[in-house]
Each structure stands twice: as C-alpha cells, then as structure tokens.
Amino acid sequence: MNKDTLTESRSKTTGKSDEHPNLWTERFFNRRCCITFLTGCYSCHWQYREWEKTELGSCCCAWKEQFFYMCLVVAFVLSVIFLFVWVETSNEYNSFDWVVYLGAKRWFLWSIFMLSIAGILTAYTSLLLLLSFFLLWERIELYLHTCHKVFIFLVILLCSFLLYVLNQYWTDKWLIAGLSLQIIAPFLHLSLITVMILLSWPLAICVAHLESEVRIRRYRMAGYEHEVLETCNIFTRLKALQVAAGLPFFVILLCLYLIPLGIYSPCILKKENLGPKPTFFGHRGAPMLAPENTMMSFEKAVEHGASGLETDVYLSYDAVPFLMHDYDLSRTTNIREVLPSAAFDHTATFNWTFLSTLNAGQWFIKHKPFFGMKPLSEADKRRASNQSIPSLAELLELAKNEKKFVIFDLFGPPPKHPLRNTFVRRVVKVILDSNIEQHLIFWLPGYDRDYVRFKAPGFQHVGRLRTLEELAKENMTIINVDYKRLFYRQMVRQYQAAKIHINMYIVNEPWLFSLAWCNRINSVTTDNIQVLNQLSHPLFFMTPGYYTFIWLFMVITSAIIIGVVFYYHWVKELKKEKWLKDTTSASADVESKNLPKGESEIQGASQLPKKPPARAVRSPWTPEVHYESSARSGKNPPDTSHFARAPNERPVPFKNTVKPLMLTENFQHTQTPTREPSSENTLPTLKEDELGGAFTEESRAKTDPKTPVSDSSEGSYEPLDGAISTISDKMSLKQE
C-alpha cells in the first residue's frame, strides 16, 4: 500500500484531512534524516534502517570499536594541543616562514599552511567525536568506518611528529604558550564556566534519565525478587554511568570555581600600578607597510610614531656599510634575474656599485611576506616597487633629522674579506662622520667594545641577557632580550629593580604587547607598529576588585543555573515515573474489575490478566438468575411493582401445563452454575399466544425497532422485567 492509499484510508477512518503533515510526521521524518546523516558520516551507512538500540547500561560497541574510539579521543587531544600551540605562536609566523625559506629557497606562507592543517585535523576529530556523542545519545552501536580508522592513525602520527619537532628544534614555542595562558587565563576561566553551564543541560538529561530508568525497572520488577537478583548488575551499570557522567563534571566545575585562587596574570592590577606605554623600535622599519630595510620602510615607521629604528648591517667588498638581513640577496632583491649564478653568494662579497643597482621592493609586492597585510595604495605600490638597498649613512641621516634612536645588528664579513678584522672600526667611523648625536646610537654588537667606548663615549651600550653583576661591570643600563624571557618574571623584576632599561624583540601581536605593557617593559621592537601604536590601554586588563566581582558573580550565577537545570530535568523524569506507575495501577484496576472475584484476587497478586472460565448456559427464567441480576444491578427486589419476589417458604407444587417458551439464541444467558434447578421452583412455561408474542423477535421489532437484541452480558436482564410481571399475573390466575 503506497503513501497516498495510507493517507486516504487514515482520512476515511478519522474523518480528518491530511493535507498538511502533522508534527509527529515531521519529527519522525527529521529524525530519520538525522539518523541517516549520523550513521552515514560515522559508519558510511547512507540508507536508513531501524537500528536496534543498545540496552541502557550495556556496552555501546565491541572491544575493537572501543579501542578505535580511544584512538579517536587521543587524536582529538593531540590535534587540539597542536592547534593551540600554533595559534598562540602567531607572533613567530614570519620567522618560521623565513627559516623554511632557507631550506626550500622558495617563499611561501608555510605558517598559514600549518595553521590550516592543524585546524582541519582538529575539526575532523571534533566532528567524529560529536557524531559519536549523538549516536550514543540515540543508543546506536558505534561502528567506525575503515577510512576513518586509517585517518585517525594518520592524525596521531602527524601530530606526534610535529609536536616532537617543535619540542626538539623550537623549544621556545612552549614558553609562548605559557605566556599566552598568563594573560588569557582569567578570561579563559570565565569562558570555561560558561561552557560548563551549556554542558549541564544534556548532562542533566542524561543523569535524570538514568535515575528514572533505574526506578522504573525496580518498580516493574517489584515482587520478582529472583529476577531482580539476576539483573542487579544492570542497576549497577546504570549507577556507574551516572557517576561516570556526573562526577567528573562536578569535579571540573569545582576546580574552575577555585582556579582564581591560584591564577597569576600580569594584567590584573590596579590602575595606578600600570606603567607607561612601551615605546617602539621599527624592526627593519615597518615591514608590513613597505619592503623591509628600505628607506620607505623606515619612513613609514617614523610616520607611525616609532621612537627608534632597528636594522641589520653588512659591509660590502669595497667597505660600504649597507642594510640587509639575509646572508644572500635572493629573497629581497631581483638578483636572480640580474645575476642568477651569484644569487646565493654571500651578501658581503659584492661591491656597493652593484648592490645599489638592485631592486629591493618588487619581491614585497609579489609575495606579501606577512599574512593579513592591508592592501597598499597605488602610490605606495609604485614607490615600493622602486626601492633599492640603502646604505647605513642614509639611515643615519634620517635618524638625525627625526631625532630617532638607532639600534642594529652588525654581521662580520666572510673570510678573505678586506675588512675581516676591522669592520667594527669602519662602522664607527661612518657613524661619527654622519654627525648624529651619539646618545641616539644603541650600540648592540659585542665586538671590540673597548675601541667603541674610546672612539665614541656617547654611545649607549646595549647588553644581552646577563646577570646584574656583569651589566654593572661593563657599565650597561640597557638590555635587548627576547620576549619569551617574560616567562621568567622574577628575572624581569630584578632588572626593573636595578633600573635597567628593557627592550624586547620581536613583539607583533597585540596580546603580547599588552603583556609587555603590564610587565612595565620600557620598549619593544615590532613589525606591526601601525596596529600596536593605536592601543590606548592593554588588552585583557582589569583591576583585582573587578575580577573578584566577576568571579563571584559567575560562580553564583552558574551554580544557580546548573542547579535549576538539574532540578528541572530530575522532576521531569520523576513525573514520567509517576505517570507510568499511575497508568500501570489504573490498568491493573480495570482488569481486576472485569474479572470475577476469585480471579481478581489472583490478578492483583500476579498483575497478569487471565482468561475467565467458560460459563454454562442456564435458562433465564429461573428465580435465581433474576435475583442475581437484580443484586448485581444494585436494585432492591422488594418494594418494586413489576418484580415478583420469591417467597420465603417453599411454594406449593402445581402441575405444569404450559409449554416451554421458545426463546431465540439472543436471549440465552451464560452463567456459572451453582446447582441444578429443580422442577419445583422452576417457573411454568407459557404458550406463545398467552404472552402475546412479546418476546419474539418480530414483536420486538414492531414495538421498538431500535431496541437492540439482548446479549449475554449482565445488563441484559432488565428488558425482561415486564415479561416476568406478566408471568406472575397469569400464575396467580391459574391458581385461583
């Protein structure tokens, strides 16, 4: 029978039109689609079928599937860890791309590619876990498809390998993750409490349903002690599921409530304790706005408020200091087009006359070295595409005119270079010849410091990460350190107590700059000066009192919400249990009322319906039948005008001269026999003409066509009252 036929027949039966599907049909249809989608994605079963639900409290799948499910959980954890570490190290993306370029000799945003891989792996494992959760919610047995099993093992191997590489060759990545947790810990704490509130809804449904299942099963097994003993392990498993679901949730929630007691965040402090905003050193200028280490880049840094300019210095073969970061010219110039054979030669092996002719800006327009760079205007594009390698003298001229500090790394020339041993003195001479104020020079190189102090006593010498004793011995009041050293806050506090000026490199992300600000760092070297300069206050900053208020508010609010959610679902499940008990009791009462007294007692004991025994056929004309019918109908035989009451004394026997009444089968009545009726108390039979045809079917149809034919039920005796009265009258006439 097709759908239209079913719909038409249902309409005829119910008398209602099915032009619009009812809500039940829509819910069932949507559920079918949902189940098909879940099993299709998880097990590649794309055809709907009625899945046999696993018993509540029993194992969800075979042991092999349990093993692969644990592998899925491990893959999810590893992918989340790798994604978190890689997201939080976004400050190092440009450095990572540069390191990969040194090996591949091809520029590409490898950092973004790795970020995409981490996101895909995390999304894939998260989706599988979510699908498995919904399947378990529907109590469908888990069966992970073979392709998913292979991919899960690949995810585990890939994430393990990448985390191993980071741990071996880039250990500082873990320090970056620790720094990010320092600043986002308060907000992560509040976010996790919100997540726990959201998770409390399905968890409350699960726990309440398990409790209701336990109570209903115990109620249904009442009186069957032997069956309860056999299935007590089911109750144990159901209780164990409750504990396994609820206990970790409340333990984690309690830990979240107490976490602020052990949280340290530099940005939770009073406003009066917040230091001044750090100043900026443009790292190779403003490399997100113009090609690095070009005059356009340094001018852009000055426009965006840089207090100092940072660069890298090499010396050409003919003793001209120039600005370049890489050991070769292949990345930032067009030497591959001009002189391909020397593209990977050392930078210091070329003469300045050749270096000054190379284009140092076209690569910037082509490759866009930073992810998320804002598009340049047409004028800036034209200007950037015409940039060349600048000399140190050009940078010093700009710094002198703008009163900007200059700090640089000085790289020694390769062997056989004419200035192999005197490159420091050559650079000092160029600086002094520029007539720049000496205090604007932050001298960072560690070579030949005594000569530098002698020739240029006004230079401010900058040290690396050293002890306070070593810095005091060399008369240094400025240090230039990696921002990852912020993780060791005790060391930073010691420098600050000794009034050491701290400059940190390279700080590009706003959250990292906010962390440096809250730690009272003096200055930072950055590629992202155009964004950091716009910050008017640190991100994630709040006072201790405000955080305490938010903490207590979230604790109280979340506790109330979670309590209400659990109470609501608990009461809802208890109502289901009560409804089931009431329904069962009502059904038992109805069945017991429809049975004879003896069987009703048995029914109450066993709660099982039994078929009543067959009743023998007895003539409805005996007084016993009449009196029993009257008693059941609640009528009192005496004081009625149309009922003949049986006399207390034994009636006088008389001769029966009346033929028996021929009754139709519809007037026959079944009743449990008590004793055989005797002829003495049996009513005499009358002729059909004496009754006037009152009890024939034809006469009934004539008098009352709508009167139904009497059946064998107890209530079928009342239509005979008139006939019995007539019989009594005729009997009295006969006796007279």
Side-chain angles (χ1 to χ4, degrees):
M1 184 181 292
N2 56 21
K3 183 177 179 182
D4 296 338
T5 308
L6 289 173
T7 304
E8 183 179 356
S9 62
R10 186 169 64 249
S11 300
K12 291 179 180 180
T13 305
T14 60
K16 295 180 181 180
S17 175
D18 283 346
E19 296 180 359
H20 303 286
N22 55 38
L23 296 178
W24 182 88
T25 305
E26 292 180 355
R27 288 199 300 269
F28 182 74
F29 178 76
N30 291 337
R31 183 180 180 277
R32 291 186 59 176
C33 292
C34 180
I35 296 298
T36 305
F37 175 77
L38 294 177
T39 56
C41 293
Y42 194 83
S43 306
C44 291
H45 293 158
W46 292 101
Q47 292 183 354
Y48 177 78
R49 65 186 179 92
E50 290 293 339
W51 292 86
E52 183 179 355
K53 291 190 175 183
T54 58
E55 184 181 357
L56 191 62
S58 62
C59 188
C60 61
C61 53
W63 67 270
K64 291 183 179 179
E65 295 301 322
Q66 296 179 31
F67 170 76
F68 286 113
Y69 186 79
M70 294 305 300
C71 292
L72 174 60
V73 174
V74 172
F76 170 74
V77 172
L78 291 177
S79 61
V80 168
I81 292 175
F82 179 68
L83 177 63
F84 172 76
V85 172
W86 200 256
V87 168
E88 294 304 320
T89 56
S90 58
N91 193 79
E92 299 286 330
Y93 282 175
N94 186 258
S95 299
F96 177 79
D97 295 336
W98 178 73
V99 170
V100 176
Y101 172 81
L102 294 180
K105 296 301 180 183
R106 179 180 178 83
W107 184 264
F108 184 72
L109 294 178
W110 298 103
S111 57
I112 304 302
F113 175 76
M114 294 293 295
L115 180 64
S116 302
I117 293 295
I120 292 173
L121 296 181
T122 305
Y124 172 71
T125 54
S126 302
L127 180 60
L128 285 182
L129 275 181
L130 189 62
L131 292 173
S132 65
F133 171 79
F134 285 121
L135 288 173
L136 291 176
W137 187 270
E138 293 290 337
R139 296 195 317 197
I140 297 177
E141 184 175 356
L142 297 181
Y143 175 75
L144 190 63
H145 195 265
T146 305
C147 64
H148 289 317
K149 296 175 182 177
V150 174
F151 288 151
I152 285 173
F153 278 112
L154 292 178
V155 170
I156 293 176
L157 293 176
L158 181 59
C159 291
S160 300
F161 172 75
L162 294 175
L163 290 174
Y164 172 78
V165 171
L166 289 178
N167 190 56
Q168 289 294 116
Y169 302 102
W170 217 329
T171 311
D172 291 344
K173 291 287 186 182
W174 304 110
L175 298 179
I176 301 173
L179 289 176
S180 66
L181 287 177
Q182 282 186 10
I183 193 168
I184 68 173
F187 298 88
L188 182 63
H189 161 246
L190 300 177
S191 301
L192 289 177
I193 292 180
T194 305
V195 172
M196 297 298 285
I197 294 175
L198 298 177
L199 291 178
S200 65
W201 187 270
L203 180 65
I205 296 176
C206 179
V207 173
H209 181 66
L210 290 172
E211 180 65 22
S212 176
E213 187 72 17
V214 170
R215 296 189 179 188
I216 290 174
R217 290 193 182 206
R218 285 179 176 171
Y219 174 77
R220 287 177 175 174
M221 292 182 179
Y224 299 88
E225 289 79 4
H226 62 284
E227 295 186 10
V228 173
L229 292 176
E230 291 177 0
T231 58
C232 62
N233 56 343
I234 295 181
F235 297 135
T236 303
R237 288 198 297 267
L238 293 176
K239 287 294 184 181
L241 282 176
Q242 279 185 297
V243 174
L247 184 60
F249 176 84
F250 287 105
V251 170
I252 294 174
L253 186 64
L254 181 61
C255 293
L256 289 177
Y257 286 165
L258 300 179
I259 271 180
L261 299 178
I263 280 182
Y264 167 75
S265 178
C267 287
I268 298 181
L269 72 165
K270 297 180 179 180
K271 292 183 178 180
E272 55 269 19
N273 295 333
L274 181 65
K277 184 177 180 179
T279 57
F280 301 103
F281 277 82
H283 184 237
R284 308 173 201 172
M288 290 187 178
L289 302 176
E292 65 180 55
N293 279 327
T294 61
M295 292 309 298
M296 177 183 177
S297 180
F298 293 114
E299 290 171 0
K300 288 288 185 181
V302 171
E303 291 177 7
H304 286 85
S307 61
L309 305 174
E310 189 275 343
T311 187
D312 310 279
V313 177
Y314 280 96
L315 273 78
S316 66
Y317 199 80
D318 52 355
V320 177
F322 64 96
L323 311 184
M324 179 61 59
H325 175 264
D326 294 359
Y327 292 102
D328 58 60
L329 305 171
S330 61
R331 181 175 68 91
T332 59
T333 67
N334 62 339
I335 193 172
R336 294 189 183 187
E337 301 173 2
V338 177
L339 191 61
S341 59
F344 301 104
D345 291 349
H346 197 280
T347 303
T349 58
F350 298 95
N351 291 326
W352 173 246
T353 53
F354 173 76
L355 293 172
S356 60
T357 61
L358 296 176
N359 186 289
Q362 291 179 354
W363 71 276
F364 178 81
I365 303 298
K366 180 179 179 181
H367 296 296
K368 294 183 179 180
F370 292 88
F371 178 75
M373 288 174 48
K374 293 183 178 181
L376 301 179
S377 63
E378 292 299 326
D380 285 343
K381 286 183 180 180
R382 289 192 299 269
R383 184 182 176 190
S385 61
N386 294 323
Q387 291 298 303
S388 59
I389 300 175
S391 64
L392 177 60
E394 295 179 75
L395 176 62
L396 294 173
E397 186 67 22
L398 175 64
K400 181 180 68 174
N401 295 335
E402 299 292 340
K403 303 294 182 181
K404 302 299 180 183
F405 296 101
V406 176
I407 185 173
F408 56 88
D409 284 312
L410 180 59
F411 298 99
K416 298 182 180 180
H417 193 280
L419 301 177
R420 172 66 176 175
N421 299 320
T422 59
F423 66 94
V424 172
R425 299 187 179 190
R426 175 60 183 167
V427 171
V428 171
K429 183 178 184 305
V430 172
I431 295 174
L432 294 177
D433 291 344
S434 66
N435 295 323
I436 189 174
E437 299 179 22
Q438 292 188 10
H439 75 277
L440 295 178
I441 302 298
F442 279 20
W443 185 263
L444 185 59
Y447 311 105
D448 208 357
R449 281 190 182 270
D450 293 335
Y451 174 80
V452 175
R453 292 180 186 277
F454 173 75
K455 293 294 294 183
F459 287 0
Q460 300 191 60
H461 290 261
V462 180
R464 304 287 184 176
L465 191 63
R466 297 184 179 182
T467 63
L468 294 176
E469 291 77 10
E470 292 175 345
L471 293 176
K473 183 178 179 180
E474 297 187 13
N475 194 22
M476 293 183 182
T477 58
I478 304 173
I479 60 172
N480 187 47
V481 297
D482 191 353
Y483 71 91
K484 303 177 191 67
R485 301 301 176 182
L486 280 172
F487 192 80
Y488 309 105
R489 59 180 182 272
Q490 295 296 335
M491 185 181 299
V492 174
R493 290 177 180 177
Q494 291 177 3
Y495 287 139
Q496 292 173 345
K499 302 203 181 290
I500 301 296
H501 181 100
I502 303 174
N503 180 72
M504 286 196 166
Y505 65 92
I506 302 166
V507 177
N508 293 333
E509 294 297 320
W511 70 266
L512 191 55
F513 178 73
S514 300
L515 186 63
W517 190 348
C518 295
N519 277 285
R520 304 178 67 89
I521 301 301
N522 303 101
S523 61
V524 297
T525 301
T526 179
D527 296 320
N528 198 16
I529 188 174
Q530 70 278 3
V531 172
L532 301 186
N533 191 41
Q534 295 177 356
L535 295 179
S536 58
H537 62 277
L539 301 179
F540 309 105
F541 172 80
M542 56 181 149
T543 61
Y546 180 75
Y547 178 61
T548 303
F549 170 76
I550 294 296
W551 167 37
L552 295 177
F553 175 78
M554 287 296 295
V555 167
I556 297 173
T557 304
S558 62
I560 294 175
I561 294 176
I562 293 174
V564 170
V565 168
F566 273 86
Y567 176 78
Y568 168 76
H569 289 291
W570 195 271
V571 172
K572 185 178 180 181
E573 292 295 334
L574 290 181
K575 286 183 178 179
K576 290 182 181 179
E577 177 190 356
K578 183 179 179 182
W579 173 84
L580 180 62
K581 291 181 179 180
D582 295 341
T583 305
T584 307
S585 301
S587 301
D589 293 341
V590 171
E591 291 178 358
S592 62
K593 289 180 180 179
N594 292 333
L595 295 176
K597 182 177 180 181
E599 294 186 1
S600 177
E601 295 176 355
I602 299 175
Q603 170 74 7
S606 62
Q607 297 180 359
L608 294 175
K610 295 183 179 180
K611 184 177 180 181
R615 298 176 180 177
V617 177
R618 188 171 59 172
S619 174
W621 297 106
T622 60
E624 291 87 352
V625 174
H626 173 66
Y627 295 143
E628 289 175 6
S629 175
S630 300
R632 282 193 299 268
S633 62
K635 297 180 180 180
N636 191 6
D639 303 329
T640 55
S641 59
H642 60 282
F643 273 26
R645 186 173 63 175
N648 293 332
E649 66 277 0
R650 189 171 181 174
V652 178
F654 58 89
K655 185 177 180 180
N656 187 4
T657 60
V658 183
K659 293 182 180 181
L661 178 64
M662 302 300 294
L663 298 176
T664 62
E665 60 180 0
N666 291 332
F667 285 90
Q668 295 178 1
H669 180 67
T670 60
Q671 180 68 309
T672 304
T674 57
R675 60 183 178 85
E676 291 295 330
S678 61
S679 60
E680 296 178 351
N681 57 2
T682 302
L683 294 175
T685 58
L686 301 177
K687 292 183 180 181
E688 204 172 294
D689 55 351
E690 293 176 341
L691 294 174
F695 294 96
T696 61
E697 292 182 1
E698 291 81 5
S699 62
R700 289 176 62 87
K702 291 178 181 180
T703 55
D704 189 5
K706 295 183 180 180
T707 303
V709 180
S710 175
D711 55 8
S712 60
S713 61
E714 293 179 357
S716 61
Y717 301 111
E718 293 187 6
L720 303 179
D721 293 346
I724 294 173
S725 177
T726 305
I727 292 172
S728 302
D729 296 339
K730 288 188 178 288
M731 287 177 61
S732 61
L733 291 175
K734 289 284 185 180
Q735 291 176 358
E736 292 176 357

